[in-house]
């Protein structure tokens, strides 16, 4: 039978914090539900008697000191009508808590068939049922994966899906017209172009048959934008406003970003770096034949880019986007985004050990017009809320479009998703950013990254002909169907219904166990290659691994979460926590035994290698698909794209110092007349304000190697420019992680330059050496369906090439998401994200004891603004290198980059971080441009050992050093205004920056 157990906080302990958080959220929506009691709900299907269930509740589910429990039937619930809401997962949705509970119950020696979980809320005040449901839909539940009940719920039985018989289904493709092909592509969620559909039609016409459903799905996954990056790999003619071809690319990304990396890798180590001018001794000599730069060890060919760490080990870095799943289900989307990126690292080479995570979120403003107040995380009267605390954007905001999850819920849930997954796997989350812009309202961006370390002799891998195909980790379910092709769809207000099957829910504990097995198996040499089951599931993983030699798969051998999956669903499901391994037959038994000893499922489902290099798919003895690997991987038509560039650059490689055309911080603070008010408002802008409420949810101390943390200074409140990890306890070498993005810069070329420069600048602030630094690109574009949009993408790629070559910093990996716009189907309103390029940087520093942080270190120090003498990229590159050398030589006690909020906010943040006062000595810090976004600049506190002569010897030709302030012992921000000396207490600036001022 099914028992229900409710676990709740003991009432005698006072405030039910989880319940009170819901009360505040409902109050913000105008619904007074009064005191709210929250319960965790467990449904146990078990043949055990009630006394055994009592023991489970008492000893396993409830904390005897803080919690109480009730088993269904112990209390009357009929009086809860109008005062109760319950949220339960829909059947088939991954439930990690339930899975862990099942294991724990069995460990107690008790029988259990199935466990499910839910949440219950009981309110002191009665409310209208429709109002409760509406509030729950906005704050408590996601209709894609959860049911909301307004009565006490106890099912008599759990629903069970019936198994499908193996019946091969063919798609009548050969006879379809072009219009029919377009309709099939869209209605079937294939999202292939008409040229691609016709190529498939031709292939099967030549075979004399129609494709099976699984064959068509395989092509769609393999040819999806997510998997093959067909836009960035396309041939492009760049035309001017008159249609004249001004330049052409055979393969856009290969001829720009990849080409720059290949050129940098060809330079001889130690021969110097590009500098400001020819003849200055800063240009490398031509490499000798056969010599390569040993820093980049594997680029653009594996799951993550790999660079050298020391003679024994390498480090790798990968950053993914998980935008579409996060728009539908923010928690699951972000959690599986970071989970998938961790698997990318596990699947790099023969397996890297994850040592750090990163994340960046781009969302709409979370506090909407008329919603500010209790329940939004705003602190009142000094009381700290655990939720979001930001000043709302001052401009009127349009109402949320239908079908869009509230931006506040999006942000809170994507943070929670990354938090839970990283914390549970024991991986520190150390770097990232949050950026607010109203055009992300229908299409939030979620970037998740992971850094790993692996032995240098484990970088290469090769699938062996005859190797067994082994699937290890989680079971396969219906979650994640069409996730790869869904990334090419335009979002509308109907997407939650249409694409609910694309939602994935992860289980970090399953992945942690799998990771432990993989690293043991790697060191024992039990497999020859591996990759993760990401977009496209087994279809993509096995298709890629067997691309050169073919593969035969027995789909009925794949372990399933539940019955009822069709063979095509098994093949393309993106269900999480799964890896595919190529295992020599002589090692299969040892690998399966190792996995079994660690309670990790591993199953042989086929073998690599077929006589004709084909992909052969069987189910229960019936062949359901057979295709040539050559067609799958080389058959996609790649038409030439036209990219229209309407405004030519006046100078290629020029970095503008002017603020962006829509600098959000400067526009936010124009109206206050006093500098005091302007500074506080700038510090409280969401794009500047402290993200401590996010950072403190992450465990950035786990593994014990975080040398420079996301928050620095004596009280650990200052925003570090970058983080530094010490991956090996026996070495003082460190790994630097930083990032940069500038979506507010309107010109795509300048936007890309600004993002690259910010990422490099952030890394330099803690001590990075540009010769030991690499970067990653993540393009998120509103679309590339017209020539102008394609032209914007081309100019961003060209900026990446120009900056990489000028700085001598190679790209080693990347990802793109090129269809990010939302359409309200009722009104036709289209909301496009701003073209967004996230640049992530990873560097190796030989002695992390030479790193610096951004907080002031002592009083009576000189504070300077250091900026490049010119705005061309080569000058800026040489300038950054000089800063790096100055930091290594201990010339600066503190360094902070100038970005959002300008010079004034940068200095204020250094004072806030340290608690040390500052006195402004230059109107650069208080004048009209004090809050402007600028590129290439640093604020530095000079060390006692600083030598102006030594600095000028290194940097005089391409830098400008201006004294702007000095540190004081007054704990104030002192300045002059209208001839009067004024002071702002640092406590006031801290309150503004941390969102505690009540405007």
């Amino acid at each position: 039978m099914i028992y229900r157990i409710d676990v709740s906080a003991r009432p005698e302990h006072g405030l039910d914090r989880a319940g009170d958080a819901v009360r505040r959220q409902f109050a913000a929506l105008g619904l007074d539900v009064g005191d709210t009691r929250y319960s965790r709900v467990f449904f146990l299907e078990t043949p055990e008697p009630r006394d055994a269930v009592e023991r489970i509740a008492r000893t396993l589910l409830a904390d005897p000191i803080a919690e109480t429990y009730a088993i269904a039937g112990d209390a009357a619930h009929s009086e809860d009508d109008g005062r109760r809401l319950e949220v339960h997962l829909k059947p088939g949705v991954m439930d990690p808590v339930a899975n862990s509970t099942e294991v724990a119950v069995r460990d107690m020696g008790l029988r259990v068939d199935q466990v499910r979980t839910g949440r219950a809320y009981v309110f002191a005040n009665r409310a209208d049922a429709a109002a409760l449901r509406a509030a729950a839909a906005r704050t408590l539940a996601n209709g894609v994966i959860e049911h909301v009940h307004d009565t006490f719920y106890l099912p008599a039985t759990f629903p069970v899906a019936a198994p499908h018989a193996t019946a091969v289904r063919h798609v009548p493709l050969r006879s379809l017209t072009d219009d029919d092909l377009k309709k099939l592509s869209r209605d079937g969620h294939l999202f292939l172009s008409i040229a691609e559909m016709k190529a498939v039609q031709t292939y099967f016409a030549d075979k004399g048959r129609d494709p099976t459903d699984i064959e068509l799905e395989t092509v769609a996954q393999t040819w999806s934008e997510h998997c093959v990056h067909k836009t960035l790999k396309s041939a492009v003619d760049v035309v001017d406003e008159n249609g004249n071809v001004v330049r052409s690319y055979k393969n856009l990304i290969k001829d720009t970003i990849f080409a720059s990396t290949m050129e940098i890798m060809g330079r001889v180590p130690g021969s110097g770096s590009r500098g400001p001018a020819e003849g200055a001794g800063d240009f490398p000599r031509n490499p000798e034949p056969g010599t390569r730069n040993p820093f980049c060890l594997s680029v653009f060919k594996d799951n993550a880019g790999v660079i050298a760490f020391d003679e024994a080990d390498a480090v790798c870095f990968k950053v993914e986007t998980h935008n579409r799943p996060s728009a539908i289900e923010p928690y699951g989307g972000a959690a599986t985004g970071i989970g998938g990126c961790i698997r990318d690292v596990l699947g790099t080479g023969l397996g890297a050990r994850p040592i750090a995570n990163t994340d960046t979120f781009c969302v709409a403003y979370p506090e909407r017009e008329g919603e500010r107040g209790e329940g939004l995380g705003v602190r009142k009267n000094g009381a700290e809320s655990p939720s979001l605390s930001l000043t709302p954007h001052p401009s009127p905001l349009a109402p949320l479009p239908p079908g869009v999850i509230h931006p506040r819920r999006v942000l809170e849930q994507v943070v929670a998703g990354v938090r839970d997954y990283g914390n549970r796997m024991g991986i520190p989350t150390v770097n990232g950013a949050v950026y607010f812009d109203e055009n992300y309202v229908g299409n939030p961006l979620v970037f998740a990254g992971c850094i790993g370390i692996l032995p240098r002799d484990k970088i290469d891998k090769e699938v062996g002909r005859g190797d067994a195909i082994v699937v290890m980790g989680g079971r396969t379910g219906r979650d994640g169907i069409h996730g790869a092709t869904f990334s090419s769809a335009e979002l509308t207000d109907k997407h939650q219904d249409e694409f609910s099957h694309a939602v994935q829910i992860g289980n970090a504990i399953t992945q942690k166990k799998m990771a432990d097995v993989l690293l043991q198996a790697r060191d024992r040499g039990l497999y020859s290659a591996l990759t993760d089951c990401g977009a496209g599931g087994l279809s993509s993983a096995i298709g890629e691994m067997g691309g050169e030699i073919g593969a035969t798969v027995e789909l009925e051998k794949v372990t399933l979460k539940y019955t009822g999956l069709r063979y095509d669903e098994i093949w393309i499901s993106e269900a999480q926590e799964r890896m595919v391994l190529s295992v020599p037959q002589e090692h299969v038994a040892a690998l399966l035994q190792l996995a079994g000893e660690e309670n990790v499922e591993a199953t042989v489902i086929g073998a690599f290698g077929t006589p004709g290099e084909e992909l052969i798919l069987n189910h229960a003895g019936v062949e359901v698909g057979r295709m040539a690997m050559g067609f799958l991987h080389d058959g996609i038509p790649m038409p030439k794209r036209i990219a229209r560039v309407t405004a030519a650059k006046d100078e290629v490689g020029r970095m503008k110092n002017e603020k962006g055309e829509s600098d959000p911080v400067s526009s936010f603070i124009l109206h206050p007349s006093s500098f005091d008010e302007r500074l506080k408002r700038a510090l409280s802008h969401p794009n500047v304000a402290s993200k401590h409420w996010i950072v403190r949810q992450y465990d950035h101390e786990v593994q014990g190697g975080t040398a420079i943390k996301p928050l620095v200074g004596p009280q650990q409140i200052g925003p570090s420019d970058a983080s530094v990890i010490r991956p090996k306890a026996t070495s003082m070498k460190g790994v630097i992680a930083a990032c940069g993005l500038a979506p507010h810069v309107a010109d795509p070329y300048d936007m890309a330059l600004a993002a690259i420069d910010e990422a490099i600048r952030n890394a330099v602030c803690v001590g990075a050496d540009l010769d030991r630094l690499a970067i990653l690109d993540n393009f998120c574009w509103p679309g590339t369906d017209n020539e102008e949009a394609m032209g914007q993408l081309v100019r961003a790629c060209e900026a990446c090439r120009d900056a990489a070559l000028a700085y001598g910093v190679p790209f080693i990996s990347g990802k793109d998401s090129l269809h990010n716009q939302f359409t309200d189907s009722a009104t036709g309103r289209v909301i496009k994200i701003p073209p967004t390029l996230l640049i992530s940087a990873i560097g190796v520093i030989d002695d992390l004891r030479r790193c610096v942080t951004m907080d002031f270190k002592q009083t009576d120090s000189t504070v300077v603004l250091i900026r490049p003498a010119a705005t061309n990229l080569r000058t800026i590159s040489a300038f950054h290198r000089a800063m790096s050398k100055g930091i290594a030589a201990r010339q600066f006690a503190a360094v902070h980059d100038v970005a959002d909020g300008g010079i004034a906010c940068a200095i204020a943040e250094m004072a806030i971080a340290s608690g040390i006062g500052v006195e402004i000595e230059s109107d650069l810090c208080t004048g009209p441009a004090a809050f402007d976004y600028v590129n290439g600049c640093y604020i530095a506190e000079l060390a006692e050992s600083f030598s102006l002569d030594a600095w000028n010897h290194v940097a005089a030709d391409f830098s400008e050093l201006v004294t702007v302030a000095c540190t004081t012992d007054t704990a104030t921000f002192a300045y002059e205004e209208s001839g009067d000396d004024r002071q702002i207490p640092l406590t006031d600036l801290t309150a503004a920056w941390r969102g505690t001022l009540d405007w």
Side-chain angles (χ1 to χ4, degrees), residues 234-566:
S234 63
V236 180
D237 277 344
V238 182
V239 301
D240 60 21
E241 46 266 35
N242 298 318
N244 300 315
V245 177
V246 294
R247 53 191 177 275
S248 296
Y249 298 103
K250 294 181 179 180
N251 179 315
L252 175 59
I253 195 167
K254 184 176 180 180
D255 293 344
T256 55
I257 295 175
F258 291 9
S260 67
T261 295
M262 293 302 106
E263 181 176 339
I264 293 168
M265 287 175 63
R267 299 177 187 172
V268 176
S271 62
S273 308
R274 289 185 179 241
E278 292 278 4
D282 287 321
F283 280 82
R285 61 184 174 87
N286 292 328
E288 297 174 2
T291 61
R292 306 295 291 175
N293 186 329
F295 178 60
C296 296
L297 302 179
S298 175
V299 297
F300 298 115
K301 66 178 183 180
D302 207 336
N303 292 322
V306 184
I307 60 174
F309 178 69
D310 58 20
E311 293 184 358
D313 292 301
V315 287
C316 59
F317 195 10
K318 179 63 175 290
V319 180
E320 284 270 10
T321 58
H322 229 227
N323 305 338
R324 294 310 172 79
S326 301
I328 294 178
E329 209 300 287
Y331 179 88
T336 54
I338 195 67
C341 212
I342 293 168
R343 288 197 307 278
D344 278 330
V345 164
L346 286 168
T348 296
L350 289 173
R353 175 173 61 85
I355 59 173
N357 289 337
T358 68
D359 62 1
T360 295
F361 307 123
C362 296
V363 296
Y365 288 99
E367 295 189 4
R368 318 296 297 179
E369 202 72 20
E371 291 185 349
R372 187 161 169 77
E374 187 180 14
L376 299 185
V378 179
R379 297 185 195 177
K380 296 293 182 179
N381 302 320
E384 182 173 354
S385 163
S387 186
L388 183 59
S389 177
L390 295 173
T391 300
H393 193 270
S395 304
L397 300 176
L400 288 179
V404 165
I405 300 174
H406 197 290
R408 187 188 322 113
R409 179 172 173 80
V410 169
L411 183 55
E412 290 173 339
Q413 291 297 299
V414 295
V415 168
V418 172
R419 173 199 69 204
D420 288 354
Y421 212 102
N423 290 0
R424 289 168 183 168
M425 280 202 70
I427 303 171
T429 301
V430 299
N431 183 255
V434 182
Y435 194 90
F436 298 94
D437 187 289
E438 194 56 19
N439 288 311
Y440 296 119
V441 67
N443 222 127
L445 305 183
V446 171
F447 303 90
C450 185
I451 299 171
I453 186 167
L454 75 162
R456 292 178 68 156
D457 62 358
K458 304 292 185 184
I459 294 174
D460 296 324
K461 57 187 176 184
E462 184 177 2
V463 176
R465 188 176 290 271
D467 281 4
I469 302 174
V470 176
V471 177
M472 179 183 290
R475 294 191 167 200
T476 300
R478 192 168 280 115
D479 43 321
I481 300 292
H482 287 141
T485 56
F486 174 39
S487 64
S488 297
E490 176 184 309
L491 290 182
T492 73
D493 52 82
K494 307 297 183 185
H495 60 257
Q496 289 207 3
D497 296 327
E498 184 177 6
F499 296 109
S500 61
H501 53 269
V503 172
Q504 308 157 55
I505 304 297
N507 186 342
I509 302 303
T510 296
Q511 183 146 303
K512 170 60 176 169
K513 292 161 58 180
M514 177 183 68
D516 292 344
V517 170
L518 285 174
L519 295 179
Q520 292 181 63
R522 177 201 71 184
D523 293 341
R524 290 172 56 181
L526 297 183
Y527 55 84
S528 57
L530 81 165
T531 195
D532 76 305
C533 275
L538 295 172
S539 168
S540 295
I542 296 175
E544 291 172 6
M545 293 179 72
E548 299 293 328
I549 60 175
T552 301
V553 183
E554 311 296 335
L555 290 167
E556 78 282 357
K557 295 182 179 179
V558 178
T559 56
L560 305 179
K561 295 177 182 176
Y562 36 78
T563 59
L565 267 68
R566 302 192 311 266

Side-chain angles (χ1 to χ4, degrees), residues 194-211:
I194 183 60
E196 291 162 351
M197 290 295 291
K198 289 177 74 69
V200 178
Q201 188 181 51
T202 299
Y203 174 82
F204 283 101
D206 291 344
K207 295 291 183 183
R209 65 177 178 88
D210 284 319

